[in-house]
Amino acid sequence: MPFNPANASPGVYVFEQSSGVHTITGVATSITAFVGLTETGPDNVATQILSFTDYQNTFGSLVSYSQVSYAVNQFFLNGGNEAYVIRLIGQNTQGATITLKQGITPILQIDSLNKGKVDRVTEVFVIDEQQQNPTSITLIVVDSPPSNQSGPPLDPASVVTEVFTGLTMLNIENQINGPSKLIHVTKLLPAGGTTLPDAVGPAHGTWTGGALTSPVTTPSGKTLRIILDNGTPYTITPTFTPTGNGKTLQASDIATGIQTAVTALQPANPSFKNFTCTAASNGAQVLSSGSSGLISSRTVQTATVDTLAHELKLSRST
């Protein structure tokens, strides 16, 4: 031990010296990790869940090939409070991919992070932030159950929405990749390119589709996805009643069917109550929100089929 002049005289002296052993900090022992196949969800990353509803919202339902789904369900039924799930997928499992364009020029590749068999739909809305010469866009990413053509509108609690504003081609990858739990974007432009993709959704509350030729052959029973004022996405199933000569379906009948279905969603909400859909002289459908916010009548879809929007020429991207 080191010499201390204060202890130079004979005697017994006791010195305490640290052993270098650190106290082990206590941690919770009730947190469980589950690793294996799930129906959907992010892969190869630990995701915290606090209930089986959390599990269902992220990883899907109980399915026969997923022991994890049943194990997590039993964990929470037996009093579990917190768990982490790591989804494993096959080496060649791919996610859904779409390409956003300006005209025919590819601008952005969007890949869904929910790979493999999914029971949910990932959709991307593109909205101009300025009416003329836009310099930036807003992306609204929506993850939801698939359309139920005969069922009620989507339960808002089952929908996960991400909104990214002020996006330009100079910053879009940094703003979305990482923060987004639903998609990954890749620029397809040459280095330094700043071209923005076409809007899938209008500015200033109105969206006009392409020209339609009467009589229109679109039958009832098909679905259309709609968002008013950047709110919850709804799936509507308009009913079209022919009123033309010989009871043939006209563009105005299409407009009436869409307007009736949308206003019925939230009759007390001005955006829905005052929503209008009219037919232009060329048959194009003109959709207008009941308020001054943004409206989108159609989505770019990665994992669903919605032919009505294409038939009515309400979609500008595929």
Side-chain angles (χ1 to χ4, degrees):
M1 67 180 62
F3 174 74
N4 187 339
N7 302 326
S9 57
V12 177
Y13 303 94
V14 177
F15 294 88
E16 182 176 352
Q17 187 170 352
S18 173
S19 66
V21 177
H22 300 285
T23 302
I24 298 176
T25 303
V27 296
T29 58
S30 59
I31 302 174
T32 304
F34 297 90
V35 182
L37 300 177
T38 68
E39 190 172 33
T40 184
D43 59 282
N44 297 317
V45 61
T47 302
Q48 182 188 44
I49 56 174
L50 303 177
S51 67
F52 189 63
T53 299
D54 282 353
Y55 175 89
Q56 290 175 305
N57 289 339
T58 304
F59 295 101
S61 308
L62 292 168
V63 288
S64 59
Y65 59 81
S66 172
Q67 295 182 358
V68 166
S69 63
Y70 288 93
V72 172
N73 186 37
Q74 292 297 316
F75 172 76
F76 286 109
L77 286 177
N78 285 280
N81 295 315
E82 181 181 0
Y84 284 83
V85 174
I86 303 174
R87 182 190 183 212
L88 301 182
I89 60 174
Q91 183 176 0
N92 296 321
T93 302
Q94 300 295 319
T97 297
I98 59 173
T99 300
L100 298 181
K101 303 175 182 179
Q102 184 182 87
I104 61 173
T105 303
I107 303 297
L108 275 177
Q109 177 177 308
I110 298 183
D111 297 294
S112 171
L113 295 181
N114 292 338
K115 300 177 182 178
K117 181 182 181 300
V118 299
D119 68 341
R120 295 179 70 81
V121 175
T122 301
E123 302 170 297
V124 180
F125 300 77
V126 184
I127 298 176
D128 290 340
E129 294 186 344
Q130 298 181 28
Q131 189 173 15
Q132 296 179 341
N133 300 320
T135 58
S136 60
I137 57 172
T138 290
L139 284 188
I140 303 176
V141 187
V142 180
D143 181 74
S144 64
S147 301
N148 181 355
Q149 295 191 9
S150 60
L154 287 177
D155 176 6
S158 69
V159 179
V160 180
T161 303
E162 296 178 343
V163 179
F164 300 93
T165 61
L167 299 175
T168 70
M169 289 303 103
L170 297 178
N171 68 0
I172 193 166
E173 289 179 308
N174 291 335
Q175 283 194 256
I176 292 180
N177 296 340
S180 176
K181 305 302 181 185
L182 301 176
I183 63 170
H184 180 278
V185 301
T186 304
K187 290 193 296 186
L188 302 178
L189 294 171
T194 58
T195 304
L196 293 169
D198 289 331
V200 184
H204 299 282
T206 298
W207 178 240
T208 302
L212 298 178
T213 302
S214 293
V216 184
T217 58
T218 297
S220 297
K222 296 186 178 181
T223 60
L224 180 72
R225 183 83 89 181
I226 190 165
I227 286 181
L228 295 185
D229 304 327
N230 290 352
T232 298
Y234 286 95
T235 297
I236 60 173
T237 308
T239 299
F240 304 126
T241 303
T243 60
N245 295 332
K247 298 298 183 181
T248 56
L249 195 63
Q250 305 296 313
S252 58
D253 302 327
I254 298 293
T256 299
I258 293 175
Q259 179 171 319
T260 300
V262 172
T263 55
L265 293 172
Q266 294 190 41
N269 184 327
S271 295
F272 292 82
K273 178 182 178 181
N274 301 321
F275 168 86
T276 61
C277 183
T278 58
S281 58
N282 63 353
Q285 301 297 296
V286 182
L287 292 78
S288 297
S289 172
S291 65
S292 60
L294 296 175
I295 168 181
S296 177
S297 62
R298 174 59 174 151
T299 67
V300 176
Q301 300 181 330
T302 64
T304 191
V305 176
D306 187 353
T307 60
L308 181 56
H310 291 289
E311 292 178 10
L312 298 181
K313 300 182 180 180
L314 290 171
S315 175
R316 293 185 183 174
S317 298
T318 57

